[in-house]
Amino acid sequence: MRTKLNNRAEFQAVQAKYEAIHNSANRKILVCCGNGCVSSGSLKLYEEMKTAVKASGLKCVVELMEEPEKDAVNVKKTGCIGFCEMGPLVKIEPEGWLYTKVQISDIPEIIESTIMKGEFVSRLAYRNSGILAKKQSEIPFYNKQTRRMLNYCGNIDCESIEDYIGIGGYSAAVKAIFDMTPEQVVEEVIESGIRGRGGAGYPTGKKWSQVAANKNADVKYIVCNGDEGDPGAFMDGSTMEGTPHKVLEGMIIAGIACEAEEAYIYVRAEYPLSVSRLSMAIEQATEMGLLGDNILGSGKNFHIHINQGAGAFVCGEGSAMTNSIEGNRGMPRAKLYHQVDVGLYGKPTCLNNVETFANIPDIINHGAAWFKSVGTEGSTGTKAFALTGNVNNTGIIEVPMGITLREVVVGIGGGIKNYQDFKAVQIGGPSGGCLTYEHLDLPLDFDSLKSVGAIIGSGGLVVMDENTCMVDTARFFMNFICKESCGKCTPCREGTTRMKQILEDICNGEGTMEDLDELEEIARMMEKSSLCGLGKTAANPVLSTLANFRNEYEEHISEKLCRAGVCQKLSQKVYAINAATCIGCTKCARNCPVEAITGQIKTPHVIDASKCIKCGTCMEGCPAGAIYIENGRKGNVKY
Amino acid sequence: MVKVDFKLIDKILERYDYDKGNIIAIMQAIQEEYRYLPQAALEYVAEKIGVSMAKIFGVATFYENFSMDAKGKYVIKVCRGTACHVRKSANVLEAVYEATGLSEGKPSTEDGLFTVEIVSCLGACGLAPVVVVNDEVHSKMTPEKAQALISELKAKEGMR
Amino acid sequence: MAREKNQSNDLKVMTIDNVECAINGERNVLEVARHNGIDIPSLCYCENLSIYGGCRICIVEDDKGKIDSACSLKPRAGAKINTNTPRIQRYRKMILQLMLGSHRTDCATCEMSESCKLQAYCRRYHVDMERFGKNYSDMPIDDSSACIVRDPSKCILCGLCVRMCDEIQNIHAIDFCHRGKRTYIAPGYNDNIASSKCVGCGQCAAVCPTGALTVKNETEKMWHMIQDLNRKVVVQFAPSVRVGLAEQFGMPANEPVTGKLVTALKRLGVDVVYDTNLTADLTIMEESAEFMEKLNSGAKLPMFTSCCPGWIQHVEKVHPHLMPQVSTCGSPMEMMGALIRNQFKNEDVYSVAIMPCTAKKFEASRPELEKDGKRLVDLVLTTQELGRMIKEAGIDFAKLPDSKPDSPLGDYTGAGVIFGVTGGVTEAVIRRVLGDASPDTLQTIAECGVRGLDGIKAFDVSAGDLKLRIGVANGLGNADKLIKLVESGQEHFDFIEVMACPNGCIGGGGQPPAMQERKEERFAAIFKEDEACELRIPQQNPALDYVYANLLNNDPHHYLHIIYPDHGDVHHE
């Protein structure tokens, strides 16, 4: 049980104490326990690491609650360090070394070499084209990012409020409570220019001022949208897991600004780790008097409740979430009123996304000018993205708004996997659109993306290579949205069903050219007449692939060809080796990413068609020109 | 069919103050206990918190995570999110179906051992394609790995 | 709301289709348009229910090109709205086409043909059937209920029935299940309607725009019996039928058509026609006596009325503990049924009741409504079904001459007539208790707070040194509110009248579907008939003496009272 802090002075004393500890040069072993690394077994790794450190006779400190002894080793579980592709990750402080793909069997060596002797285990280091990177900051994946919102992720114990306070946490909330009026808080947020990170990009300060304007409401609510349902996006999950206190702090500040005392966090069902870390954080903050009644003796109250979703994408929509929190079917409401006036339980409600709240403490602490110092004029600050798909480095990244797509895909993502050609990036999930080669130099911000028919959405960036069929991609998203449509309004319920059917027909080689017009017409109708944002944007992937890859649709229809070889019922590329000309050099077999090619040295090789993913690497590298495509056409048409 | 322990349901209801607004949380707690929502349990809940059966059924069936049918001992979730899709999770799903003898229309085996579910995104896109068995995550799956995984589970249960 | 505080009561005007439309506190643009003579189509909107915004055919476009649904658009002074721009026309048509694709179109034979709103809009907007192939639900038809039939293949998911059942009736027997394209409306766990909490009020069918929820059609049985010459078909008809029937023939609602109704029944081949108004008078006699006895004996009050079968079922399913406080009087239909059996003791009589009510179909089939081994009422037809039969027979209703119901069970007073509206039973009881037929007294009663279409009315009545607190509710949701007041001890009532349907029987589930305005006309028509009656207090009914003397075998309690299982050991002397 933690001691309750009764006033500001007590808080400051505690902060000073933990700050000193944090800044001490103690040896720390930080095990990444974000969702990605946990999936790769990092929780077990963390436990084993603790045991091993203790067994080796070293003094080991896990929690900050006690005064650590001078030369004790800190073993901490941190939030997502971001480089999920290379997990489980282990960071060594104070050197700042980063070990990748650490297995339990690596623990003895880490303890013996690194902890005991201070030596670097180069075997576990990240290598970029053979160049070894010792520190996180030497890795291109990191050094091109600007980590602000996620600045604590990976540096502190995500399950410890002491760590958070020690690094400056809750000072923004304390400042807002004691030094600022609600109006000043709203003003600062407006001035920062921050726009909602959840999708539509509505100015956060404006929303807060609208909620605050309902002066006579007896109850107001703050709701944090953690229902990150976009396939391919997991930033909010990482944020909730990795820096839960920052989210809470942002919500407290929103409570001050809007004069609300009750708050809900709606967490997606698939994020149990987020739920447990947030619950833990709420418990800790309540124990210390930073949440609950009479926060730090200020007379202000703030209560946060967690609602766990139950598997419905549409609940990410504000009024559907409200319905869900109230225990109803998560169907969006008719938009007669705005949530800021009539929201949860009919009361004024301020609903923001996780990432938006997590940005707030820094705005209050460092000021609007600092926040605006990165980003573009219309889209200030940084944005977290989940970089996934056919790119070398996948993971969570945080970059300034306005960074180009090229910098993300090539600079941070390290280019396309398996030396394939870049084809497109799907941004904004099922409500978003695709960006192509010609958009590589487009700045990623709210307005530029909108101008090309895409949206920033919640920030999923799925990179697609040339082996991705864009018709199939559109079908995939339509299938998703069709399954997730709540069924309330006719355009979305029936429109998505019809579009999905048409796209399936096209993928099966049964489409007609008229179908393309029909797709567009249904899409336009849905966009304009659906009830909620989900329906209005449901057709975006179709519209955007139609605009950018119409030729692929046409090939599917008129030539019955899927150039990417994805649509099974259409003619595909089948790679084969001409036994007569093959010199048996084994190069193709070595290059093949899926080991589909076999053969003895100096004898003709064969391709196992069932394993082949049609990436074309073998053909490109063959010195004898023995590899050819049979039963189809060559697919490499330049865009 | 399981036998519903109404004392246990009472405890759950107590934890949530018999409040209609907590109906989703109440059902989550029941599902955690029985791995699905037994009809008898929901009827009991409806009576106790004063909502109609139509309403409670409507809420339960709206959300993907609630199951109205009993689930297998091993719930195998195959992620079909974007990242997993791009990394060919369709083939993994097919392999899982083949190994378990299940399909989209038939999600659970008769012996109560396996349930196969398709999920949209598990948030582990960096490790795509992902398969989750109960709460254990298996990353970077291939059809071969999926088949091996199921054989292993079968072996554990003493099946050939 | 803060942002609305600038609104004053000045005249506010918005422009719809270039017409200046005054805004008079309407809740949405759709209402403003309708009040100004512009009919924006809508399938999921009902003035008495919450706004849903699901069907989307009420989309309109503002002068900036923004499209939104008129039902969920707040009227704003100065706004410019167009309801038929080229885009709106295109999108609206496509939405209708999509709906039609997921709707089983057996329009030629459908129960709702000609009154189907989807059909009407498809014709209005020249929607062709074939744009999208059929993908309607293949769930089976649910005809388990005695009152209504549910056909999921015709459901367009407008949700009016769900909201009616929940918001107005507080029963919530049906709700949406699953989601997306798989959505359907049903009682939980795919139970059928009969095993749900449904009370058969039929209000869901009354608001259903298509043939997905319809009143159970039993006209075939009626034809069969009429054509059987060996059988005597005796028909009774309820107070409200005379103010609903005419609308099906395009006639105004504000005139009762009792005379034409009797003629029409005779032309159809009915042998004897009696008026349920008579047994409404009889009900008052019995119910007043029961009430006075309860009052004098110190029995638990309030006493609840018993003539509405939807209410009776609601008590049984939700408030069984209240049943002992419900009057044991049979409904006027039951009483007339008993009188008919005794009037034609040794004849093969087929007893038919024409009712504004779907729940009466269930009531007639209850074992409690069997006396001396026979059902008191063999068949209940609704006003709608009768209208259909009249059309089927090719009778030009408007041109029919008037006839009188047959003797001796055709006489009635104004007290019986007003059973058709909410508060009518109560007003009749007050007339009976005060026993004064002078115009002044009748006027005083009319103004005591009992009249009007409010959902809940509560008022005091004094008669001599007797002071009574009376409650009147229409709509089961309102009834539940009154019960809550009573059970929480917040208010005491001596007498509570409940009618399950909004506005009382004139708005019954068996009446032709109508907007509120039309129901107000029916309300007025009922009192027109009351005022036209020479006799207006029930004890003046000359037929009652005959009834008590000849038709009850000296055991009025046996024939005129119904003890339902939950009544327990109620004894009535």
Side-chain angles (χ1 to χ4, degrees):
Chain A
M1 190 70 189
R2 292 167 169 82
T3 321
K4 185 168 178 183
L5 308 175
N6 295 307
N7 51 53
R8 191 178 188 174
E10 285 181 24
F11 171 79
Q12 282 164 338
V14 165
Q15 179 159 41
K17 175 176 144 195
Y18 292 124
E19 198 174 348
I21 298 170
H22 180 81
N23 293 338
S24 69
N26 267 351
R27 163 82 60 209
K28 291 181 195 131
I29 304 173
L30 303 159
V31 182
C32 175
C33 290
N35 195 15
C37 288
V38 166
S39 305
S40 311
S42 71
L43 281 179
K44 220 169 177 183
L45 184 74
Y46 166 75
E47 294 300 330
E48 295 285 330
M49 186 72 85
K50 273 196 305 189
T51 317
V53 170
K54 280 179 192 156
S56 65
L58 291 165
K59 283 178 216 145
C60 171
V61 177
V62 181
E63 282 179 18
L64 257 195
M65 291 191 55
E66 305 301 322
E67 263 336 297
E69 289 175 63
K70 258 219 130 142
D71 46 357
V73 176
N74 264 297
V75 182
K76 290 171 188 273
K77 53 165 100 157
T78 75
C80 179
I81 299 181
F83 207 176
C84 309
E85 181 84 14
M86 301 308 290
L89 302 168
V90 173
K91 221 160 122 176
I92 307 293
E93 294 287 2
E95 290 87 349
W97 293 338
L98 187 71
Y99 292 153
T100 60
K101 299 196 175 176
V102 181
Q103 300 302 313
I104 290 172
S105 55
D106 298 326
I107 293 176
E109 192 178 352
I110 293 176
I111 291 179
E112 215 162 285
S113 306
T114 308
I115 308 300
M116 304 273 205
K117 301 183 197 148
E119 286 168 5
F120 186 73
V121 183
S122 49
R123 183 171 67 78
L124 295 170
Y126 174 75
R127 278 163 218 270
N128 183 30
S129 322
I131 304 162
L132 180 142
K134 266 188 171 178
K135 295 185 182 181
Q136 186 174 330
S137 56
E138 291 166 10
I139 302 173
F141 178 77
Y142 287 103
N143 61 23
K144 295 204 166 64
Q145 295 189 41
T146 307
R147 282 169 93 86
R148 282 182 160 189
M149 184 218 31
L150 294 169
N151 55 352
Y152 304 154
C153 251
N155 292 326
I156 61 167
D157 188 331
C158 56
E159 293 182 356
S160 159
I161 191 170
E162 288 80 11
D163 262 28
Y164 183 66
I165 293 177
I167 208 162
Y170 285 109
S171 53
V174 170
K175 183 176 171 189
I177 290 171
F178 291 101
D179 300 340
M180 298 171 84
T181 63
E183 292 75 22
Q184 284 173 324
V185 177
V186 171
E187 200 43 53
E188 196 70 39
V189 176
I190 290 178
E191 183 56 31
S192 75
I194 185 171
R195 293 166 68 171
R197 264 50 178 159
Y202 192 80
T204 306
K206 196 170 160 192
K207 187 183 272 183
W208 289 18
S209 70
Q210 287 163 357
V211 178
N214 284 296
K215 290 281 178 206
N216 298 325
D218 51 343
V219 184
K220 293 184 212 175
Y221 293 103
I222 305 291
V223 177
C224 173
N225 185 344
D227 190 46
E228 182 181 47
D230 286 13
F234 53 108
M235 311 75 54
D236 289 348
S238 294
T239 309
M240 288 186 284
E241 283 160 29
T243 176
H245 284 289
K246 211 167 182 183
V247 179
L248 302 188
E249 191 179 358
M251 291 176 72
I252 296 171
I253 296 166
I256 300 295
C258 301
E259 297 183 271
E261 298 188 343
E262 294 295 324
Y264 289 85
I265 309 181
Y266 190 95
V267 187
R268 188 168 176 245
E270 287 78 359
Y271 289 169
L273 197 57
S274 295
V275 172
S276 69
R277 296 238 171 103
L278 282 168
S279 307
M280 205 180 290
I282 290 172
E283 201 177 299
Q284 292 171 348
T286 310
E287 276 176 20
M288 294 189 88
L290 291 162
L291 271 180
D293 290 335
N294 195 12
I295 298 172
L296 297 181
S298 65
K300 309 231 168 168
N301 312 321
F302 200 65
H303 307 101
I304 301 182
H305 316 273
I306 295 180
N307 269 67
Q308 211 174 339
F313 175 71
V314 66
C315 287
E317 199 270 354
S319 61
M321 176 169 295
T322 307
N323 265 334
S324 185
I325 294 176
E326 291 176 16
N328 299 315
R329 290 165 62 82
M331 302 200 289
R333 295 175 178 172
K335 302 286 181 286
L336 196 62
Y337 301 102
H338 294 286
Q339 294 263 316
V340 291
D341 296 325
V342 181
L344 189 60
Y345 298 110
K347 304 292 180 189
T349 301
C350 169
L351 189 144
N352 282 121
N353 166 271
V354 168
E355 191 183 336
T356 313
F357 281 123
N359 267 298
I360 299 296
D362 288 340
I363 293 176
I364 298 299
N365 261 336
H366 309 306
W370 170 86
F371 186 79
K372 284 194 287 192
S373 66
V374 298
T376 66
E377 203 187 327
S379 310
T380 53
T382 56
K383 175 81 189 85
F385 289 99
L387 184 61
T388 60
N390 302 316
V391 66
N392 278 315
N393 306 328
T394 57
I396 295 291
I397 61 169
E398 185 179 344
V399 291
M401 286 274 192
I403 192 172
T404 64
L405 189 58
R406 189 186 302 276
E407 283 171 277
V408 171
V409 175
V410 183
I412 297 172
I416 306 297
K417 248 190 154 72
N418 300 331
Y419 309 100
Q420 299 295 294
D421 275 347
F422 169 83
K423 189 172 204 174
V425 168
Q426 167 70 28
I427 182 165
S431 315
C434 61
L435 303 173
T436 67
Y437 201 78
E438 65 186 72
H439 301 123
L440 273 176
D441 294 308
L442 185 83
L444 295 178
D445 64 57
F446 290 111
D447 305 311
S448 311
L449 282 166
K450 205 174 167 192
S451 71
V452 296
I455 59 166
I456 220 161
S458 52
L461 281 177
V462 184
V463 180
M464 298 170 180
D465 68 13
E466 57 185 322
N467 297 306
T468 312
C469 167
M470 298 316 283
V471 185
D472 174 69
T473 303
R475 183 188 63 141
F476 170 80
F477 280 115
M478 195 46 70
N479 190 31
F480 174 83
I481 216 79
C482 187
K483 245 176 72 189
E484 295 294 342
S485 164
C486 79
K488 182 172 180 177
C489 81
T490 321
C492 176
R493 180 185 67 240
E494 304 295 340
T496 54
T497 309
R498 298 297 180 174
M499 288 180 88
K500 183 186 133 195
Q501 187 56 51
I502 294 173
L503 288 166
E504 263 165 19
D505 286 350
I506 297 176
C507 287
N508 289 334
E510 289 155 14
T512 65
M513 286 299 183
E514 289 74 41
D515 281 344
L516 298 185
D517 299 334
E518 190 81 336
L519 278 177
E520 259 187 299
E521 181 75 8
I522 300 175
R524 297 283 172 218
M525 182 277 297
M526 280 169 60
E527 188 182 353
K528 292 296 175 194
S529 50
S530 292
L531 169 63
C532 80
L534 178 123
K536 285 184 202 292
T537 57
N540 280 355
V542 172
L543 286 174
S544 131
T545 47
L546 261 176
N548 291 306
F549 298 97
R550 198 182 175 92
N551 56 340
E552 283 198 30
Y553 280 87
E554 288 170 356
E555 281 171 7
H556 276 68
I557 293 167
S558 56
E559 300 175 44
K560 310 273 180 243
L561 172 77
C562 173
R563 69 170 68 191
V566 171
C567 297
Q568 302 281 335
K569 293 206 174 158
L570 301 185
S571 61
Q572 304 170 13
K573 296 179 281 185
V574 175
Y575 286 84
I577 298 173
N578 186 341
T581 46
C582 177
I583 56 174
C585 72
T586 76
K587 188 175 178 190
C588 58
R590 281 181 282 123
N591 282 347
C592 178
V594 292
E595 292 170 8
I597 305 178
T598 49
Q600 295 293 316
I601 193 161
K602 297 211 191 305
T603 56
H605 282 44
V606 274
I607 299 177
D608 180 347
S610 66
K611 285 185 184 165
C612 174
I613 58 166
K614 288 116 191 160
C615 64
T617 314
C618 51
M619 190 159 78
E620 275 165 32
C622 179
I627 299 176
Y628 66 99
I629 296 171
E630 69 178 23
N631 189 17
R633 300 157 22 127
K634 186 161 163 44
N636 281 329
V637 180
K638 283 289 169 212
Y639 304 118
Chain B
M1 279 296 143
V2 295
K3 206 163 156 8
V4 175
D5 176 2
F6 293 110
K7 282 207 189 98
L8 192 118
I9 310 278
D10 276 330
K11 266 189 211 142
I12 292 171
L13 287 169
E14 218 157 276
R15 191 170 357 134
Y16 292 103
D17 302 331
Y18 290 86
D19 182 359
K20 289 177 209 187
N22 288 332
I23 187 167
I24 293 174
I26 290 168
M27 291 197 287
Q28 279 165 337
I30 293 173
Q31 177 148 310
E32 195 158 305
E33 206 61 48
Y34 297 102
R35 281 184 290 144
Y36 80 110
L37 297 174
Q39 182 166 353
L42 287 198
E43 275 165 0
Y44 188 76
V45 169
E47 184 69 33
K48 286 277 173 174
I49 64 173
V51 299
S52 79
M53 221 31 226
K55 154 105 187 181
I56 210 167
F57 186 82
V59 173
T61 53
F62 184 84
Y63 297 97
E64 182 102 10
N65 293 11
F66 291 124
S67 171
M68 310 311 280
D69 305 305
K71 283 192 187 181
K73 183 173 175 187
Y74 297 104
V75 178
I76 304 167
K77 292 180 186 160
V78 181
C79 182
R80 291 285 285 127
T82 322
C84 288
H85 175 74
V86 171
R87 292 197 183 172
K88 316 283 184 236
S89 62
N91 302 344
V92 175
L93 177 66
E94 207 170 296
V96 170
Y97 276 149
E98 201 185 301
T100 51
L102 295 172
S103 64
E104 208 173 335
K106 188 189 173 220
S108 298
T109 52
E110 273 102 17
D111 58 9
L113 210 52
F114 295 110
T115 295
V116 177
E117 290 178 353
I118 300 169
V119 292
S120 328
C121 181
L122 291 163
C125 310
L127 309 166
V130 174
V131 171
V132 178
V133 180
N134 293 344
D135 284 321
E136 200 177 312
V137 181
H138 299 262
S139 54
K140 297 185 184 170
M141 291 301 282
T142 61
E144 292 74 24
K145 277 169 83 176
Q147 264 157 352
L149 177 66
I150 287 156
S151 305
E152 199 183 299
L153 292 175
K154 280 185 179 167
K156 206 155 111 192
E157 293 297 320
M159 286 171 64
R160 274 178 193 278
Chain C
M1 243 126 288
R3 285 188 292 154
E4 285 173 32
K5 66 179 171 222
N6 297 332
Q7 292 180 359
S8 61
N9 290 326
D10 297 340
L11 186 66
K12 291 194 296 177
V13 173
M14 66 182 295
T15 311
I16 305 177
D17 292 342
N18 300 320
V19 178
E20 303 261 290
C21 298
I23 304 171
N24 288 312
E26 287 91 348
R27 63 172 171 171
N28 55 21
V29 169
L30 190 73
E31 293 273 7
V32 174
R34 284 184 182 171
H35 291 164
N36 285 279
I38 297 166
D39 181 27
I40 300 176
S42 165
L43 286 164
C44 72
Y45 180 72
C46 173
E47 54 201 336
N48 303 321
L49 300 173
S50 66
I51 295 173
Y52 189 62
C55 78
R56 312 308 288 176
I57 62 166
C58 71
I59 45 170
V60 293
E61 188 169 347
D62 69 11
D63 51 347
K64 293 179 193 72
K66 192 172 180 291
I67 292 177
D68 209 335
S69 54
C71 69
S72 19
L73 204 56
K74 265 200 159 284
R76 206 166 38 80
K80 288 192 172 61
I81 300 288
N82 280 298
T83 72
N84 280 303
T85 64
R87 281 205 302 177
I88 292 292
Q89 286 182 329
R90 239 180 27 247
Y91 296 158
R92 184 180 287 148
K93 193 166 174 172
M94 182 183 263
I95 295 170
L96 283 167
Q97 283 162 330
L98 285 167
M99 265 184 209
L100 212 53
S102 61
H103 172 86
R104 187 161 65 88
T105 42
D106 63 346
C107 301
T109 54
C110 178
E111 273 296 301
M112 281 292 279
S113 200
E114 291 187 1
S115 46
C116 171
K117 280 178 88 178
L118 178 62
Q119 185 184 44
Y121 286 138
C122 285
R123 264 203 315 247
R124 180 157 141 192
Y125 296 106
H126 314 288
V127 172
D128 57 292
M129 300 261 263
E130 298 303 326
R131 177 158 186 185
F132 301 105
K134 290 288 177 194
N135 66 355
Y136 53 76
S137 162
D138 56 359
M139 291 181 71
I141 290 174
D142 175 5
D143 60 356
S144 62
S145 159
C147 314
I148 51 174
V149 179
R150 193 173 61 88
D151 182 350
S153 70
K154 291 180 183 166
C155 179
I156 56 166
L157 300 171
C158 70
L160 281 169
C161 53
V162 175
R163 276 174 286 152
M164 176 55 84
C165 197
D166 178 27
E167 294 171 10
I168 303 291
Q169 301 298 58
N170 198 29
I171 292 177
H172 215 142
I174 46 175
D175 205 335
F176 295 97
C177 304
H178 295 278
R179 68 173 186 223
K181 183 64 190 161
R182 287 176 65 207
T183 311
Y184 58 89
I185 291 171
Y189 272 102
N190 306 335
D191 282 351
N192 56 33
I193 296 261
S195 56
S196 74
K197 283 213 169 2
C198 173
V199 301
C201 73
Q203 287 301 315
C204 53
V207 288
C208 180
T210 70
L213 276 161
T214 50
V215 175
K216 192 162 233 175
N217 184 342
E218 298 180 284
T219 53
E220 277 305 314
K221 281 187 198 162
M222 180 67 171
W223 282 120
H224 188 69
M225 288 301 159
I226 290 172
Q227 285 149 3
D228 182 350
L229 296 177
N230 296 322
R231 217 181 281 254
K232 188 167 233 153
V233 176
V234 181
V235 168
Q236 56 165 312
F237 63 96
S240 301
V241 180
R242 69 204 75 203
V243 298
L245 185 63
E247 294 159 35
Q248 294 177 85
F249 305 98
M251 294 160 68
N254 55 8
E255 283 290 337
V257 288
T258 319
K260 290 188 185 348
L261 166 55
V262 176
T263 313
L265 284 167
K266 286 288 170 74
R267 288 245 188 125
L268 286 174
V270 169
D271 298 294
V272 180
V273 179
Y274 289 148
D275 196 328
T276 314
N277 279 353
L278 179 139
T279 39
D281 281 339
L282 187 57
T283 303
I284 295 309
M285 301 304 288
E286 289 293 316
E287 201 157 331
S288 307
E290 184 185 358
F291 176 63
M292 292 313 287
E293 190 197 300
K294 283 201 170 193
L295 199 64
N296 294 331
S297 70
K300 196 170 180 196
L301 294 174
M303 183 176 96
F304 293 94
T305 57
S306 62
C307 33
C308 170
W311 159 240
I312 293 291
Q313 273 213 70
H314 186 56
V315 173
E316 290 181 314
K317 289 184 174 181
V318 181
H319 312 287
H321 61 287
L322 289 179
M323 193 53 115
Q325 283 169 254
V326 175
S327 162
T328 57
C329 288
S331 65
M333 176 185 88
E334 181 276 330
M335 289 190 182
M336 182 56 88
L339 300 188
I340 289 170
R341 286 283 179 242
N342 287 340
Q343 173 81 12
F344 303 99
K345 229 173 213 142
N346 301 316
E347 291 180 64
D348 188 3
V349 162
Y350 192 69
S351 173
V352 180
I354 313 293
M355 294 283 136
C357 179
T358 47
K360 288 280 177 198
K361 285 176 182 275
F362 174 77
E363 184 192 358
S365 71
R366 297 186 66 136
E368 295 86 0
L369 261 75
E370 255 176 46
K371 300 274 173 183
D372 309 340
K374 261 189 179 166
R375 273 178 69 151
L376 296 180
V377 175
D378 293 307
L379 178 68
V380 172
L381 293 183
T382 60
T383 314
Q384 285 182 48
E385 287 166 272
L386 176 63
R388 206 161 278 148
M389 287 185 73
I390 293 170
K391 282 185 187 165
E392 199 175 338
I395 296 168
D396 186 347
F397 189 79
K399 290 192 183 140
L400 286 178
D402 287 347
S403 316
K404 275 193 171 318
D406 290 302
S407 282
L409 303 178
D411 290 334
Y412 57 88
T413 72
V417 175
I418 59 176
F419 260 58
V421 299
T422 172
V425 175
T426 308
E427 188 171 343
V429 168
I430 301 171
R431 287 185 193 178
R432 156 73 181 134
V433 172
L434 294 186
D436 179 358
S438 72
D440 281 355
T441 305
L442 290 176
Q443 192 56 32
T444 313
I445 296 172
E447 288 165 4
C448 75
V450 69
R451 277 206 199 167
L453 291 174
D454 291 346
I456 295 180
K457 287 169 285 187
F459 52 93
D460 297 307
V461 170
S462 10
D465 47 354
L466 199 61
K467 218 174 166 194
L468 299 175
R469 179 81 179 149
I470 294 178
V472 173
N474 65 86
L476 292 172
N478 290 326
D480 285 345
K481 280 182 202 154
L482 270 188
I483 290 170
K484 210 170 171 189
L485 281 180
V486 171
E487 298 206 314
S488 64
Q490 285 179 64
E491 259 205 83
H492 169 78
F493 288 99
D494 298 297
F495 182 89
I496 291 182
E497 173 200 310
V498 179
M499 295 295 160
C501 291
N503 306 309
C505 307
I506 51 167
Q511 296 279 74
M515 306 272 277
Q516 190 57 31
E517 208 178 321
R518 178 65 67 79
K519 288 178 191 160
E520 281 161 22
E521 286 173 19
R522 292 177 189 167
F523 181 80
I526 284 280
F527 284 102
K528 213 179 213 174
E529 172 117 340
D530 168 37
E531 274 156 34
C533 286
E534 215 168 295
L535 307 171
R536 295 180 65 196
I537 64 174
Q539 53 266 53
Q540 292 173 322
N541 190 328
L544 292 186
D545 285 344
Y546 168 79
V547 167
Y548 276 113
N550 302 308
L551 296 181
L552 297 170
N553 300 344
N554 293 322
D555 190 0
H557 192 258
H558 173 64
Y559 290 105
L560 304 181
H561 288 256
I562 303 289
I563 312 295
Y564 291 113
D566 292 325
H567 267 117
D569 294 331
V570 187
H571 265 293
H572 206 280
E573 297 311 316

